[in-house]
Structure formats: structure tokens, C-alpha cells
Amino acid sequence: RQMCIRDSYYTAIGDTISLSVKMEEHAKAGEILMPESVYKKVKELVDVVSSRKLNIGNQLVTVHNITSKQKN
């Protein structure tokens, strides 16, 4: 991914970017996907509708589909 800030270009690379790109590619319309590592940190603040595993490279990564920012 590249972004331009005042005519300077930056490229983001690495495992985190690869994971976010794969989640974006696999997300259905209206879904917000988050990996298990993030879910563990914010599980008290979100509602999870479903979970599934994505094949990222040579590993399966659990992702969660959240539907709201905060529990009522």
C-alpha cells in the first residue's frame, strides 16, 4: 500500500499489512473483520457475530466479524 503526504510517498509492508489486505479481500459487504490478536485486547468492547479461519500464506488465522463498536 502506498500513500502520499505532501508529495512524499510511503510504502507499508510486512506481516501486518499482508494480514489486513487478506482480511479486506475476504470481508463480505458490511463486515468488519479483526484478527484474534486484536479481539483478545478489545473483546469487552465489541460484539462478535461470527468467526472463521483464513488461509494467510502457510497458516490459518482466526478472524472475527464484529457488528458494533460497543456492547450495550
Side-chain angles (χ1 to χ4, degrees):
R1 302 278 187 196
Q2 281 191 338
M3 67 178 172
C4 176
I5 300 175
R6 295 184 189 224
D7 299 324
S8 296
Y9 288 89
Y10 300 91
T11 301
I13 58 174
D15 293 340
T16 302
I17 299 302
S18 296
L19 176 58
S20 64
V21 168
K22 289 291 185 183
M23 287 191 305
E24 180 182 17
E25 290 171 353
H26 285 85
K28 297 172 185 147
E31 281 189 327
I32 301 171
L33 298 180
M34 76 171 47
E36 178 71 17
S37 58
V38 174
Y39 172 70
K40 287 179 179 179
K41 294 177 182 177
V42 299
K43 63 185 175 185
E44 299 299 320
L45 303 173
V46 297
D47 291 324
V48 175
V49 170
S50 61
S51 300
R52 63 181 182 262
K53 295 191 182 284
L54 297 181
N55 190 359
I56 310 285
N58 293 329
Q59 62 181 347
L60 287 175
V61 176
T62 301
V63 296
H64 303 285
N65 173 21
I66 63 168
T67 59
S68 65
K69 293 183 180 178
Q70 191 169 13
K71 292 184 178 183
N72 293 329

